[in-house]
Amino acid sequence: MNLRNQWPVLPVVAGLASGLLTGCGSGSGDSGGTGSSVVMGMSDDVLATDPASGYDPGSWLLFDNVFQSLLSFPKGATEPQPELAKECSFTDSRATVYKCELKDGLKFSNGDDLTSKDVKFSFDRMLKINDSAGPAVMFPMLGSIGTPDAKTVVFHLKSSDATFPSKIASGAGSIVDHSQYDANGLRTDHQAVGSGPYKLDSFDKDKAVFSVNGNYKGTAKVKNSGVTLKFFHGDRTALKQALLDGKVDIAYRGLSASDIAGLDKQGGSKGVDVIEGTSAEVQHLVFNMKDPVAGKVGVRKAMAYLIDRDALIKNVYQGTATPLYSIIPAGIVGHNTAFFDTYGARPSQAKAAAALHADGITGKVKLTLWSTPSRYGPATDEELKAIAGQLNASGLFDADVKSVAFDQYEKDITADKYGVYVKGWVPDYPDADNFTAPFFGKGNVLDNNYSNSTITGSLIPSTAAQSDRGATDQNFGRLQNIVATELPVLPVWQAKQYAVARDGVYGLEYCLDASTVFRFWELSKS
C-alpha cells in the first residue's frame, strides 16, 4: 500500500494544537464564486487527476475540490456529514449494510446528471482497476453495491466496519461521471469531470487552474472566483521567494521550519501572515522485528528510554512541533499516552542500560538509522542524525544514519535490509482505526514483520464494528498499551499544518484541520 503522504503536511515542521476549529458550512453552494481569484504555491506534486489512482496529499487536494463524495467532513470536524447524499445510515446492527439516498437534481460540471449509477460505477471501477498507487486498498470490506433506483445506493460489506462512512467521505470516495471514464483503465489526459465546487480547467507540470463549478450542489459556499495552484517540485527557496515577491498569495506544504519561524517573527514587515492549523499526521521510527539487532526488545526499549523528543522539537523543528507518545495522535478519539506512561518524557541512561542488560546485551549496540528525505521532508536526515547523537551520548550505542532515495528505500524495507527506519502517515480519515488497522498484521504498511493476534483477531475487529466511536476508547487503549510494550514502532512527532499568506488573504484557518481537507472555497482575497 502507498502511504498517503509524499511529504508531511508541513515537510519539516510537526506539532499539534490542542483544539479543533469549530463550525461548518451549510446550505447550498453558490452557483458561482465572487471576489478575486487566489494563487497558491505548493511544494508537492499532484500525482494523479483520476481518483482511482491518486493516494497522495497533492492528488487528494485536487479530488477534495473537483469531486464530491457521498459524505464530507465539515471544517474543524471529524464526523462526516451528507454531501451528495441527502442521508446515509447503516440499516443493520452489525454495520454491514450502508444505505445512502442522493439529493435531487445533482449534476456533474459538464451538465450530465449524477445518479446512483455513477456512484456504483465509481467504486466498482476503483476496485476493478486496483491501481497500486490508488485507494482501492482502503476497501477490502466492500462486497457489492446495489442501486434499487436512481437515487438509492446500498453498500454490502463483507465484514463490520463502522468507519465506512469516514472512508467514503475521503478523497477515496470521489464520484466520477460514468460516461467520461473508462471502467477498465485510468484516465491519462490530465482532465477531470466531477461535481465538486470547482472545475479543473487545465493541468500541466507547472500549475493547475480551477474555476468555480456552476452546477455544484453541496454544503460549500465558494468565496473566490477561482484558484491557480503552482507547483514548486520541492524547491523551498523558490516557493518562499515567490510568496515574498507576490507571485503567489499562499505558500502551502514546503517551507522549512526556519522559514516558518522567521516569517512568523517578521511577518508584519514582510507583508505576510503565518496561519497554523491542526493535523493528525504522525511520524514513527519503525523496527524490523526480524532484524538481528532491532529485533531484540532490549534494544528497542533502550531507544525508547533514550530518545528526547523535546530536544528534537527544539533543535530540529525550532519549537514548531509536539512530541507524540502513542500511535493514535492527540485530537483523535481513542488517543492515550502509552509511551509517556511506560518510558517517560526525559531520557534515562540507567533504564536504557537495564533494558539492554535484561536482554543479555553487553557492549555498545551498533545500529544504522535509515532515512529518505525525498518522501518525509528535508529535515528527516537532520532529525535522525540528532536521534543517533542522543543514542550515542548515552555510551550504550554506536549509531549512524544513512539516507537513500525513496524508491530504493521502499525496496530495501521490503527486502528486510533495514533494522530501523522512518515512516510518516497522513490519515485517510480522522479515526483511530486509520492509525491502527493499516499498521498491524500480515501485509501491514510498515512492512516490519510485526503481528499480534490480540490486536488483529480481537481489538481491531471489535473497534471496527462499534458504531459509537466514543465507546472504542477502552479497546484502543489496550491496543496502544500492547504496542508500547512490544515496541514494533516508536512514535516521534505529530504534525501541525502551516500555510503562509500575503496580507489580504483570508480563510486559511478553515483549510487546516485534522480532516486533511484543504477547502479552496474558504479562501478569499481583498
Side-chain angles (χ1 to χ4, degrees), residues 348-490:
S348 172
Q349 194 271 356
K351 291 180 179 178
L356 292 172
H357 180 75
D359 207 9
I361 299 170
T362 59
K364 288 187 177 181
V365 177
K366 188 169 180 58
L367 190 70
T368 296
L369 309 179
W370 291 90
S371 176
T372 179
S374 60
R375 185 71 168 191
Y376 302 122
T380 309
D381 284 356
E382 183 184 352
E383 175 191 338
L384 265 64
K385 288 176 182 176
I387 290 174
Q390 293 174 357
L391 298 176
N392 293 341
S394 72
L396 301 172
F397 283 82
D398 178 11
D400 65 354
V401 176
K402 292 184 179 179
S403 182
V404 298
F406 181 70
D407 288 347
Q408 187 62 44
Y409 185 79
E410 288 289 281
K411 292 175 184 176
D412 289 346
I413 289 172
T414 301
D416 289 336
K417 292 185 177 181
Y418 302 159
V420 185
Y421 48 96
V422 65
K423 284 278 190 176
W425 183 256
V426 177
D428 305 304
Y429 50 95
D431 188 280
D433 178 80
N434 198 229
F435 298 91
T436 53
F439 284 34
F440 305 106
K442 185 178 180 180
N444 70 71
V445 299
L446 299 177
D447 215 4
N448 65 338
N449 301 298
Y450 175 70
S451 181
N452 179 286
S453 59
T454 300
I455 291 176
T456 56
S458 175
L459 297 177
I460 288 178
S462 65
T463 54
Q466 179 56 259
S467 58
D468 179 1
R469 302 311 289 162
T472 62
D473 273 3
Q474 184 175 356
N475 280 335
F476 277 127
R478 285 183 61 201
L479 192 158
Q480 290 166 95
N481 292 340
I482 290 171
V483 172
T485 299
E486 298 190 349
L487 273 170
V489 300
L490 181 60

Side-chain angles (χ1 to χ4, degrees), residues 111 147-148 153 185 191 204 228 302 319 341 357 422 435 469 511 523:
T147 54
V153 184
Q191 296 184 24
D204 58 40
T228 297
D341 301 338
H357 180 75
V422 65
F435 298 91
R469 302 311 289 162
C511 303
L523 302 175

Side-chain angles (χ1 to χ4, degrees), residues 126-159:
M126 172 183 61
L127 294 175
K128 183 176 184 180
I129 293 173
N130 193 25
D131 187 68
S132 60
V137 70
M138 288 176 59
F139 297 98
M141 83 302 293
L142 185 51
S144 63
I145 304 171
T147 54
D149 56 57
K151 289 177 57 181
T152 305
V153 184
V154 183
F155 297 92
H156 298 275
L157 309 185
K158 292 182 275 188
S159 58

